[in-house]
Amino acid sequence: MDQSHVRNFSIIAHIDHGKSTLADRILELTDSVEKREMKAQILDSMDLERERGITIKLNAVELVYHAKDGQDYLFHLIDTPGHVDFSYEVSRSLAACEGAILVVDAAQGVQAQTMANVYLALENDLEILPVLNKVDLPSAQPDVVKAEIENLIGLDCSEAVEISAKSGLNVDQVLEEIVHKLPAPSGDVTKPLQALVFDSVYDAYKGVIAWVSIKNGELKVGDTIRLMQSGAEYLVTEVGVRTPKILNKEKLVAGDVGWVAAAIKDIKTVRVGDTITLADAPASEPLAGYKEMQPMVYAGLYPVDNARYDDLKEALEKLQLNDASLQFEPETSQALGFGFRCGFLGLLHMDVVEERLEREYNLNLIATSPSVIYQVHKTDGTVVDIDNPAALPPMQNIDWIEEPYVRAEILVPKEYVGTMMDLCQKKRGEYIDLQMIDDTRMELIYEMPLSEVIFDFFDRMKSSTKGYASFDYQFSGYRRSALQKLDILLNGQPVDALSIIVHKDFAYNRGNAMTIKLKDLIPRQQFEIPVQAAIGSKIIARTNIKALRKNVLAKCYGGDISRKKKLLEKQKEGKKRMKMVGSVEIPQEAFMAVLSMDDDK
Amino acid sequence: MIPSAYIHVPFCSSICSYCAFAKNGRLDRIDAWLDALESEIRQTMSPVLQKHPGFRFETIYIGGGTPSVLDLEQTRRLLSLLSPFAYEKTEWTIEANPESVDRDKAMTWREFGVNRVSIGIETFNADRLVELGRAHTINQSRRVIVLLKECGFTRLCADLMYGFPGETLEELNADIDRFLELDISHLSIYSLILEEGTRLARQISEDDLDEDLTASMYETIEARLKEAGYEHYEISSYARNADYGRHNALIWDDGQYYGFGWGACGRDDRGLYEHAKTFAQYLNDPMAKIYEEEQNPAFDALMTGLRTKWGVDVQAWNDRYKDDFYSRFGVVLKKWNRRFVQKNGRLALNEDGMEVLDSILVDFLMAQE
């Protein structure tokens, strides 16, 4: 099809504003999916995405739209995640597009990630089409929200379509707008091939499958391609698109968005952001890639069964293909054995990676509590980056420690401003600014330590504002803080994987909360286990896990055997997920205790 | 040949708050149930009798529910289904509640060959009885024991429950005094357990039960009953003068047994089985059996065998399950070595071991993988 009839676009939105539902309707209206195959969130192919109702991975589909002008248009729709942790995925999708549909909930209005995503789209020079969703809700205020978009973001909303993605109302108008308002790609088929790799997955039969947006030239089966960053060359075995069924094609040309397979077994040679060109007629320059996203949160991942270290390594490598923001390197813990220190964009990202490793690779994992990167200025004048509390040098060798701060922008209804400010203060936040957005909402800006934000800030923000506040944050710099390492001792032995770095003023409370939480999480064992929290050699909190005295002492007659055995089987499954550290059996969740404890206790 | 039979009587005049067994309160369905039960017993036992004329059970156990809610005529009908398979050495037990036993019923039991009665007394604290939803009074508990003795029953058993929310050791000790006064040969003791789906589980939570206190209660009961001449021969069973419950002892020793009636569980060469899920389905097809999906008889043998002071016959286990016990479970024995005793080729738990049997069993399960 002529390139002037191609439209490449993404849908961007704050989480839950109806992005995936709109994608579903677009698929239906373009007859891409037969009714009997249609299910909600059809582009979200991971079980995890459907269960949580969120999009984690970007997804690209090719659709044919028969427009009102009588002509057919080829759409490449790239669905994107909405959560702040996955903004990297969003920026990758956007680089493959010329336009974006901005979905805003007509009842909730502009939220923090609406703005963050718009800025990303603008950085990529995309044309943005604002759309108001959920206008059929009784609480919808499309006009108020339009004014908000104009004021806050500066987008003209006079022609914004008002839709209900759920019922399908006016979605046909959105398709027409895509045809008339979004630009066609402007690539040149005759130029040397430049294909931007924006995602990749590993297939057991086909090897690495790279998702590409063809910016110039064409790519055929039988071509020898070169990955410009790694220099690796491969013979193309298959190319195609997803409609959303996987469909093979003879070639992809400038303006197309599709996939390429070339029997690539060495997964390290394909990096997302790289440019593919032809070996015998290479482009002179690679396309601008993406700015590498730096992980914000680090945690150790260990197999419960040490023998599965290599499996974990292989799984991480495969997952990284599909999730370029994931970083990892080997580390060793006295308590947990051999594992990996992994870098994540945020806690949700960490959670998703852990769950994908467990589900897709059938691994049983222990994750340690997450940490940020501390810059440790030592007395000998050197500076070291520490992403694992256990690796902190002895205090006498430390001059001072700096920790990462973020600028948090919080949109919050007026009546919750006070509550929100309290929360930010508790999290060691420094007040920067407070501005009216409109009659009902304000924008609150704080500088806060990242370590406080990643813990339970999001949950607390949601619960203390009935879900009305939203926030986004950016790294703002390192600051000096009075930080200390808090060690946990079980049965008198320090457990390195349980160490955390805390602010001096919080050390006592955290230590106390940790020991109480661990006492709850670690089951009673044959002997009494002291649980202690220590700063250096000073014990600051202590409790005991009493020795096991009795189990359930019920009758067991013939009819009880099956039922009782099922209960024991369940206990066994729980026990398989425990790690033996010294002589103490510790359940997985204990290593994350710091995330679930209540400081206020 | 299967030496034992369990018959489940799934009827109660009132439902106790803690009970998770199959039962219902529709006493008007007893006759239809007896029809189905008769059909099940006939169809099951005819081929056995053909092959082994004169076959008799070693033990018969009629449990429930509340077998004593059957009226005299229904009782006669039930017992006459079983009496052809009993002889003078058969241990024949029936469970009863204090409020539904009278002289005529007790004499009918005797007449048919029942020689052991297990009475659901539970406690002598009147307030607790009300809390539990029991339908009897403490006077009825005392009177039924006297009555059964007068009727000539020498083998009597009473249930004693402990570990109620808020119960103190003083309260328990007073309760033990009352049970000892009954002067009977067997006591079954067990702690209050919150079973999913019961009324009690909706009223209170695990947090209302004090784990350490119930452990102390268990130990108190053990000490006091031993002092009174009872032998602690199984986790929840005490006997005087070696008056062990043979029926359950056979089950614990890896035995097989028929399960008759809706709610009954049995064990044959194919494994553990239950009947149809609903009462109506049972009436429709009393012979339907549902076998356990994931069977693990080698483990069942340990789970039940280690409950008794006699423990598990290791050689018999090796022969039956084609395995080597000590090499498979060496790690478990080592970990819990102070809680095991080995004697005459049998492996058993000592008193400390019995208290934490579940933890030890989980380790056996792990070692099986």
Side-chain angles (χ1 to χ4, degrees), chain B residues 89-116:
Chain B
K89 288 193 175 154
T90 302
E91 176 192 278
W92 189 347
T93 308
I94 192 164
E95 284 181 350
N97 278 352
E99 75 277 9
S100 50
V101 181
D102 58 23
R103 189 169 300 268
D104 287 348
K105 216 180 267 180
M107 288 311 291
T108 305
W109 296 340
R110 288 271 293 159
E111 180 192 323
F112 278 87
V114 174
N115 48 31
R116 188 169 178 268

PDB file of all heavy atoms in Angstrom, chain B residues 89-116:
ATOM      1  N   LYS B  89     -16.248 -62.050  68.773  1.00  0.00           N
ATOM      2  CA  LYS B  89     -14.990 -61.322  68.920  1.00  0.00           C
ATOM      3  C   LYS B  89     -14.971 -59.984  68.188  1.00  0.00           C
ATOM      4  O   LYS B  89     -14.022 -59.223  68.284  1.00  0.00           O
ATOM      5  CB  LYS B  89     -13.832 -62.185  68.423  1.00  0.00           C
ATOM      6  CG  LYS B  89     -13.528 -63.319  69.377  1.00  0.00           C
ATOM      7  CD  LYS B  89     -12.201 -63.963  69.043  1.00  0.00           C
ATOM      8  CE  LYS B  89     -11.872 -65.015  70.086  1.00  0.00           C
ATOM      9  NZ  LYS B  89     -10.979 -66.049  69.528  1.00  0.00           N
ATOM     10  N   THR B  90     -16.019 -59.722  67.427  1.00  0.00           N
ATOM     11  CA  THR B  90     -16.070 -58.455  66.705  1.00  0.00           C
ATOM     12  C   THR B  90     -16.153 -57.288  67.698  1.00  0.00           C
ATOM     13  O   THR B  90     -16.997 -57.311  68.599  1.00  0.00           O
ATOM     14  CB  THR B  90     -17.301 -58.411  65.780  1.00  0.00           C
ATOM     15  OG1 THR B  90     -17.243 -59.502  64.888  1.00  0.00           O
ATOM     16  CG2 THR B  90     -17.347 -57.098  65.000  1.00  0.00           C
ATOM     17  N   GLU B  91     -15.273 -56.305  67.518  1.00  0.00           N
ATOM     18  CA  GLU B  91     -15.440 -55.073  68.295  1.00  0.00           C
ATOM     19  C   GLU B  91     -16.456 -54.233  67.545  1.00  0.00           C
ATOM     20  O   GLU B  91     -16.232 -53.852  66.391  1.00  0.00           O
ATOM     21  CB  GLU B  91     -14.125 -54.300  68.404  1.00  0.00           C
ATOM     22  CG  GLU B  91     -14.304 -52.956  69.126  1.00  0.00           C
ATOM     23  CD  GLU B  91     -13.084 -52.059  68.994  1.00  0.00           C
ATOM     24  OE1 GLU B  91     -12.136 -52.251  69.773  1.00  0.00           O
ATOM     25  OE2 GLU B  91     -13.081 -51.182  68.098  1.00  0.00           O
ATOM     26  N   TRP B  92     -17.584 -53.962  68.182  1.00  0.00           N
ATOM     27  CA  TRP B  92     -18.654 -53.258  67.484  1.00  0.00           C
ATOM     28  C   TRP B  92     -18.982 -51.987  68.275  1.00  0.00           C
ATOM     29  O   TRP B  92     -19.512 -52.062  69.369  1.00  0.00           O
ATOM     30  CB  TRP B  92     -19.866 -54.176  67.322  1.00  0.00           C
ATOM     31  CG  TRP B  92     -20.937 -53.607  66.422  1.00  0.00           C
ATOM     32  CD1 TRP B  92     -21.042 -52.338  65.965  1.00  0.00           C
ATOM     33  CD2 TRP B  92     -22.049 -54.324  65.894  1.00  0.00           C
ATOM     34  NE1 TRP B  92     -22.139 -52.203  65.173  1.00  0.00           N
ATOM     35  CE2 TRP B  92     -22.785 -53.415  65.095  1.00  0.00           C
ATOM     36  CE3 TRP B  92     -22.496 -55.658  65.988  1.00  0.00           C
ATOM     37  CZ2 TRP B  92     -23.951 -53.779  64.425  1.00  0.00           C
ATOM     38  CZ3 TRP B  92     -23.655 -56.011  65.323  1.00  0.00           C
ATOM     39  CH2 TRP B  92     -24.382 -55.073  64.526  1.00  0.00           C
ATOM     40  N   THR B  93     -18.614 -50.877  67.707  1.00  0.00           N
ATOM     41  CA  THR B  93     -18.759 -49.601  68.415  1.00  0.00           C
ATOM     42  C   THR B  93     -19.892 -48.788  67.810  1.00  0.00           C
ATOM     43  O   THR B  93     -20.105 -48.813  66.595  1.00  0.00           O
ATOM     44  CB  THR B  93     -17.471 -48.765  68.282  1.00  0.00           C
ATOM     45  OG1 THR B  93     -16.355 -49.560  68.661  1.00  0.00           O
ATOM     46  CG2 THR B  93     -17.516 -47.508  69.132  1.00  0.00           C
ATOM     47  N   ILE B  94     -20.596 -48.064  68.645  1.00  0.00           N
ATOM     48  CA  ILE B  94     -21.556 -47.076  68.134  1.00  0.00           C
ATOM     49  C   ILE B  94     -21.316 -45.750  68.844  1.00  0.00           C
ATOM     50  O   ILE B  94     -20.993 -45.734  70.038  1.00  0.00           O
ATOM     51  CB  ILE B  94     -23.020 -47.561  68.296  1.00  0.00           C
ATOM     52  CG1 ILE B  94     -23.981 -46.666  67.488  1.00  0.00           C
ATOM     53  CG2 ILE B  94     -23.435 -47.596  69.770  1.00  0.00           C
ATOM     54  CD1 ILE B  94     -25.358 -47.281  67.274  1.00  0.00           C
ATOM     55  N   GLU B  95     -21.400 -44.666  68.093  1.00  0.00           N
ATOM     56  CA  GLU B  95     -21.285 -43.336  68.695  1.00  0.00           C
ATOM     57  C   GLU B  95     -22.664 -42.874  69.146  1.00  0.00           C
ATOM     58  O   GLU B  95     -23.670 -43.168  68.491  1.00  0.00           O
ATOM     59  CB  GLU B  95     -20.731 -42.322  67.692  1.00  0.00           C
ATOM     60  CG  GLU B  95     -19.228 -42.454  67.468  1.00  0.00           C
ATOM     61  CD  GLU B  95     -18.683 -41.425  66.484  1.00  0.00           C
ATOM     62  OE1 GLU B  95     -19.474 -40.718  65.826  1.00  0.00           O
ATOM     63  OE2 GLU B  95     -17.446 -41.347  66.363  1.00  0.00           O
ATOM     64  N   ALA B  96     -22.699 -42.135  70.262  1.00  0.00           N
ATOM     65  CA  ALA B  96     -23.993 -41.683  70.766  1.00  0.00           C
ATOM     66  C   ALA B  96     -23.842 -40.337  71.446  1.00  0.00           C
ATOM     67  O   ALA B  96     -22.756 -40.000  71.934  1.00  0.00           O
ATOM     68  CB  ALA B  96     -24.536 -42.700  71.769  1.00  0.00           C
ATOM     69  N   ASN B  97     -24.935 -39.588  71.469  1.00  0.00           N
ATOM     70  CA  ASN B  97     -24.947 -38.351  72.239  1.00  0.00           C
ATOM     71  C   ASN B  97     -25.793 -38.560  73.484  1.00  0.00           C
ATOM     72  O   ASN B  97     -26.796 -39.286  73.440  1.00  0.00           O
ATOM     73  CB  ASN B  97     -25.520 -37.203  71.403  1.00  0.00           C
ATOM     74  CG  ASN B  97     -24.460 -36.617  70.492  1.00  0.00           C
ATOM     75  OD1 ASN B  97     -23.287 -36.964  70.592  1.00  0.00           O
ATOM     76  ND2 ASN B  97     -24.878 -35.736  69.598  1.00  0.00           N
ATOM     77  N   PRO B  98     -25.426 -37.933  74.587  1.00  0.00           N
ATOM     78  CA  PRO B  98     -26.109 -38.198  75.849  1.00  0.00           C
ATOM     79  C   PRO B  98     -27.617 -38.000  75.785  1.00  0.00           C
ATOM     80  O   PRO B  98     -28.368 -38.748  76.417  1.00  0.00           O
ATOM     81  CB  PRO B  98     -25.472 -37.185  76.807  1.00  0.00           C
ATOM     82  CG  PRO B  98     -24.116 -36.928  76.233  1.00  0.00           C
ATOM     83  CD  PRO B  98     -24.290 -37.010  74.754  1.00  0.00           C
ATOM     84  N   GLU B  99     -28.102 -37.044  74.992  1.00  0.00           N
ATOM     85  CA  GLU B  99     -29.531 -36.719  75.039  1.00  0.00           C
ATOM     86  C   GLU B  99     -30.391 -37.721  74.284  1.00  0.00           C
ATOM     87  O   GLU B  99     -31.601 -37.725  74.438  1.00  0.00           O
ATOM     88  CB  GLU B  99     -29.764 -35.304  74.498  1.00  0.00           C
ATOM     89  CG  GLU B  99     -29.664 -35.155  72.984  1.00  0.00           C
ATOM     90  CD  GLU B  99     -28.253 -34.996  72.450  1.00  0.00           C
ATOM     91  OE1 GLU B  99     -27.289 -35.170  73.232  1.00  0.00           O
ATOM     92  OE2 GLU B  99     -28.104 -34.702  71.245  1.00  0.00           O
ATOM     93  N   SER B 100     -29.774 -38.571  73.452  1.00  0.00           N
ATOM     94  CA  SER B 100     -30.643 -39.424  72.635  1.00  0.00           C
ATOM     95  C   SER B 100     -30.474 -40.912  72.929  1.00  0.00           C
ATOM     96  O   SER B 100     -30.694 -41.749  72.073  1.00  0.00           O
ATOM     97  CB  SER B 100     -30.409 -39.122  71.146  1.00  0.00           C
ATOM     98  OG  SER B 100     -29.033 -39.150  70.842  1.00  0.00           O
ATOM     99  N   VAL B 101     -30.049 -41.235  74.153  1.00  0.00           N
ATOM    100  CA  VAL B 101     -29.924 -42.646  74.528  1.00  0.00           C
ATOM    101  C   VAL B 101     -30.946 -42.950  75.626  1.00  0.00           C
ATOM    102  O   VAL B 101     -31.046 -42.199  76.592  1.00  0.00           O
ATOM    103  CB  VAL B 101     -28.520 -42.958  75.064  1.00  0.00           C
ATOM    104  CG1 VAL B 101     -28.410 -44.444  75.419  1.00  0.00           C
ATOM    105  CG2 VAL B 101     -27.457 -42.573  74.047  1.00  0.00           C
ATOM    106  N   ASP B 102     -31.727 -44.004  75.463  1.00  0.00           N
ATOM    107  CA  ASP B 102     -32.558 -44.469  76.570  1.00  0.00           C
ATOM    108  C   ASP B 102     -32.323 -45.961  76.755  1.00  0.00           C
ATOM    109  O   ASP B 102     -31.583 -46.583  76.002  1.00  0.00           O
ATOM    110  CB  ASP B 102     -34.038 -44.145  76.341  1.00  0.00           C
ATOM    111  CG  ASP B 102     -34.557 -44.764  75.050  1.00  0.00           C
ATOM    112  OD1 ASP B 102     -33.948 -45.756  74.574  1.00  0.00           O
ATOM    113  OD2 ASP B 102     -35.546 -44.239  74.492  1.00  0.00           O
ATOM    114  N   ARG B 103     -32.946 -46.517  77.787  1.00  0.00           N
ATOM    115  CA  ARG B 103     -32.680 -47.909  78.123  1.00  0.00           C
ATOM    116  C   ARG B 103     -33.030 -48.849  76.967  1.00  0.00           C
ATOM    117  O   ARG B 103     -32.274 -49.752  76.637  1.00  0.00           O
ATOM    118  CB  ARG B 103     -33.470 -48.301  79.388  1.00  0.00           C
ATOM    119  CG  ARG B 103     -33.092 -49.669  79.951  1.00  0.00           C
ATOM    120  CD  ARG B 103     -33.689 -49.887  81.325  1.00  0.00           C
ATOM    121  NE  ARG B 103     -33.233 -48.900  82.299  1.00  0.00           N
ATOM    122  CZ  ARG B 103     -32.171 -49.070  83.089  1.00  0.00           C
ATOM    123  NH1 ARG B 103     -31.441 -50.166  82.981  1.00  0.00           N
ATOM    124  NH2 ARG B 103     -31.830 -48.159  83.957  1.00  0.00           N
ATOM    125  N   ASP B 104     -34.177 -48.599  76.324  1.00  0.00           N
ATOM    126  CA  ASP B 104     -34.596 -49.481  75.236  1.00  0.00           C
ATOM    127  C   ASP B 104     -33.573 -49.503  74.102  1.00  0.00           C
ATOM    128  O   ASP B 104     -33.240 -50.545  73.548  1.00  0.00           O
ATOM    129  CB  ASP B 104     -35.947 -49.031  74.665  1.00  0.00           C
ATOM    130  CG  ASP B 104     -37.066 -49.370  75.639  1.00  0.00           C
ATOM    131  OD1 ASP B 104     -36.790 -50.137  76.593  1.00  0.00           O
ATOM    132  OD2 ASP B 104     -38.183 -48.859  75.436  1.00  0.00           O
ATOM    133  N   LYS B 105     -33.092 -48.310  73.766  1.00  0.00           N
ATOM    134  CA  LYS B 105     -32.140 -48.221  72.666  1.00  0.00           C
ATOM    135  C   LYS B 105     -30.832 -48.935  73.032  1.00  0.00           C
ATOM    136  O   LYS B 105     -30.288 -49.713  72.244  1.00  0.00           O
ATOM    137  CB  LYS B 105     -31.872 -46.750  72.339  1.00  0.00           C
ATOM    138  CG  LYS B 105     -31.666 -46.493  70.854  1.00  0.00           C
ATOM    139  CD  LYS B 105     -31.414 -45.024  70.575  1.00  0.00           C
ATOM    140  CE  LYS B 105     -32.715 -44.279  70.250  1.00  0.00           C
ATOM    141  NZ  LYS B 105     -32.478 -42.847  69.972  1.00  0.00           N
ATOM    142  N   ALA B 106     -30.384 -48.669  74.256  1.00  0.00           N
ATOM    143  CA  ALA B 106     -29.130 -49.276  74.696  1.00  0.00           C
ATOM    144  C   ALA B 106     -29.257 -50.801  74.713  1.00  0.00           C
ATOM    145  O   ALA B 106     -28.344 -51.528  74.299  1.00  0.00           O
ATOM    146  CB  ALA B 106     -28.745 -48.749  76.076  1.00  0.00           C
ATOM    147  N   MET B 107     -30.397 -51.295  75.158  1.00  0.00           N
ATOM    148  CA  MET B 107     -30.590 -52.742  75.208  1.00  0.00           C
ATOM    149  C   MET B 107     -30.671 -53.342  73.802  1.00  0.00           C
ATOM    150  O   MET B 107     -30.223 -54.455  73.561  1.00  0.00           O
ATOM    151  CB  MET B 107     -31.867 -53.100  76.010  1.00  0.00           C
ATOM    152  CG  MET B 107     -31.727 -52.872  77.517  1.00  0.00           C
ATOM    153  SD  MET B 107     -30.219 -53.581  78.247  1.00  0.00           S
ATOM    154  CE  MET B 107     -30.569 -55.348  78.116  1.00  0.00           C
ATOM    155  N   THR B 108     -31.231 -52.538  72.873  1.00  0.00           N
ATOM    156  CA  THR B 108     -31.283 -53.000  71.489  1.00  0.00           C
ATOM    157  C   THR B 108     -29.867 -53.148  70.932  1.00  0.00           C
ATOM    158  O   THR B 108     -29.550 -54.123  70.256  1.00  0.00           O
ATOM    159  CB  THR B 108     -32.087 -51.999  70.637  1.00  0.00           C
ATOM    160  OG1 THR B 108     -33.365 -51.830  71.240  1.00  0.00           O
ATOM    161  CG2 THR B 108     -32.235 -52.482  69.201  1.00  0.00           C
ATOM    162  N   TRP B 109     -29.029 -52.176  71.233  1.00  0.00           N
ATOM    163  CA  TRP B 109     -27.636 -52.276  70.792  1.00  0.00           C
ATOM    164  C   TRP B 109     -27.008 -53.576  71.277  1.00  0.00           C
ATOM    165  O   TRP B 109     -26.383 -54.311  70.530  1.00  0.00           O
ATOM    166  CB  TRP B 109     -26.798 -51.083  71.313  1.00  0.00           C
ATOM    167  CG  TRP B 109     -27.218 -49.721  70.784  1.00  0.00           C
ATOM    168  CD1 TRP B 109     -27.964 -49.472  69.667  1.00  0.00           C
ATOM    169  CD2 TRP B 109     -26.887 -48.455  71.358  1.00  0.00           C
ATOM    170  NE1 TRP B 109     -28.131 -48.121  69.509  1.00  0.00           N
ATOM    171  CE2 TRP B 109     -27.473 -47.460  70.529  1.00  0.00           C
ATOM    172  CE3 TRP B 109     -26.160 -48.048  72.487  1.00  0.00           C
ATOM    173  CZ2 TRP B 109     -27.361 -46.091  70.800  1.00  0.00           C
ATOM    174  CZ3 TRP B 109     -26.042 -46.695  72.753  1.00  0.00           C
ATOM    175  CH2 TRP B 109     -26.643 -45.714  71.900  1.00  0.00           C
ATOM    176  N   ARG B 110     -27.208 -53.806  72.590  1.00  0.00           N
ATOM    177  CA  ARG B 110     -26.641 -55.017  73.208  1.00  0.00           C
ATOM    178  C   ARG B 110     -27.146 -56.276  72.521  1.00  0.00           C
ATOM    179  O   ARG B 110     -26.378 -57.179  72.204  1.00  0.00           O
ATOM    180  CB  ARG B 110     -27.049 -55.079  74.690  1.00  0.00           C
ATOM    181  CG  ARG B 110     -26.358 -54.078  75.567  1.00  0.00           C
ATOM    182  CD  ARG B 110     -25.067 -54.614  76.127  1.00  0.00           C
ATOM    183  NE  ARG B 110     -25.298 -55.718  77.061  1.00  0.00           N
ATOM    184  CZ  ARG B 110     -24.399 -56.616  77.386  1.00  0.00           C
ATOM    185  NH1 ARG B 110     -23.209 -56.561  76.822  1.00  0.00           N
ATOM    186  NH2 ARG B 110     -24.671 -57.574  78.263  1.00  0.00           N
ATOM    187  N   GLU B 111     -28.450 -56.264  72.294  1.00  0.00           N
ATOM    188  CA  GLU B 111     -29.116 -57.423  71.712  1.00  0.00           C
ATOM    189  C   GLU B 111     -28.477 -57.814  70.368  1.00  0.00           C
ATOM    190  O   GLU B 111     -28.292 -58.987  70.064  1.00  0.00           O
ATOM    191  CB  GLU B 111     -30.594 -57.050  71.505  1.00  0.00           C
ATOM    192  CG  GLU B 111     -31.484 -58.100  70.922  1.00  0.00           C
ATOM    193  CD  GLU B 111     -32.819 -57.446  70.527  1.00  0.00           C
ATOM    194  OE1 GLU B 111     -33.287 -56.537  71.282  1.00  0.00           O
ATOM    195  OE2 GLU B 111     -33.360 -57.802  69.480  1.00  0.00           O
ATOM    196  N   PHE B 112     -28.107 -56.816  69.576  1.00  0.00           N
ATOM    197  CA  PHE B 112     -27.546 -57.107  68.254  1.00  0.00           C
ATOM    198  C   PHE B 112     -26.035 -57.358  68.262  1.00  0.00           C
ATOM    199  O   PHE B 112     -25.481 -57.758  67.261  1.00  0.00           O
ATOM    200  CB  PHE B 112     -27.868 -55.967  67.290  1.00  0.00           C
ATOM    201  CG  PHE B 112     -29.248 -56.059  66.706  1.00  0.00           C
ATOM    202  CD1 PHE B 112     -30.327 -55.508  67.380  1.00  0.00           C
ATOM    203  CD2 PHE B 112     -29.459 -56.725  65.499  1.00  0.00           C
ATOM    204  CE1 PHE B 112     -31.600 -55.607  66.853  1.00  0.00           C
ATOM    205  CE2 PHE B 112     -30.731 -56.820  64.978  1.00  0.00           C
ATOM    206  CZ  PHE B 112     -31.818 -56.256  65.655  1.00  0.00           C
ATOM    207  N   GLY B 113     -25.398 -57.058  69.386  1.00  0.00           N
ATOM    208  CA  GLY B 113     -23.962 -57.367  69.455  1.00  0.00           C
ATOM    209  C   GLY B 113     -23.052 -56.178  69.594  1.00  0.00           C
ATOM    210  O   GLY B 113     -21.823 -56.333  69.619  1.00  0.00           O
ATOM    211  N   VAL B 114     -23.628 -54.988  69.663  1.00  0.00           N
ATOM    212  CA  VAL B 114     -22.776 -53.812  69.895  1.00  0.00           C
ATOM    213  C   VAL B 114     -22.143 -53.956  71.276  1.00  0.00           C
ATOM    214  O   VAL B 114     -22.832 -54.274  72.242  1.00  0.00           O
ATOM    215  CB  VAL B 114     -23.602 -52.510  69.825  1.00  0.00           C
ATOM    216  CG1 VAL B 114     -22.749 -51.304  70.217  1.00  0.00           C
ATOM    217  CG2 VAL B 114     -24.195 -52.344  68.430  1.00  0.00           C
ATOM    218  N   ASN B 115     -20.824 -53.781  71.369  1.00  0.00           N
ATOM    219  CA  ASN B 115     -20.175 -53.992  72.657  1.00  0.00           C
ATOM    220  C   ASN B 115     -19.318 -52.815  73.114  1.00  0.00           C
ATOM    221  O   ASN B 115     -18.546 -52.902  74.062  1.00  0.00           O
ATOM    222  CB  ASN B 115     -19.352 -55.286  72.638  1.00  0.00           C
ATOM    223  CG  ASN B 115     -18.488 -55.359  71.386  1.00  0.00           C
ATOM    224  OD1 ASN B 115     -18.059 -54.317  70.869  1.00  0.00           O
ATOM    225  ND2 ASN B 115     -18.239 -56.565  70.896  1.00  0.00           N
ATOM    226  N   ARG B 116     -19.402 -51.704  72.402  1.00  0.00           N
ATOM    227  CA  ARG B 116     -18.591 -50.539  72.794  1.00  0.00           C
ATOM    228  C   ARG B 116     -19.377 -49.295  72.413  1.00  0.00           C
ATOM    229  O   ARG B 116     -19.925 -49.225  71.304  1.00  0.00           O
ATOM    230  CB  ARG B 116     -17.251 -50.583  72.070  1.00  0.00           C
ATOM    231  CG  ARG B 116     -16.239 -49.563  72.513  1.00  0.00           C
ATOM    232  CD  ARG B 116     -14.859 -49.886  71.921  1.00  0.00           C
ATOM    233  NE  ARG B 116     -13.856 -48.886  72.308  1.00  0.00           N
ATOM    234  CZ  ARG B 116     -13.574 -47.810  71.593  1.00  0.00           C
ATOM    235  NH1 ARG B 116     -14.207 -47.572  70.464  1.00  0.00           N
ATOM    236  NH2 ARG B 116     -12.664 -46.946  72.034  1.00  0.00           N
TER     237      ARG B 116
END
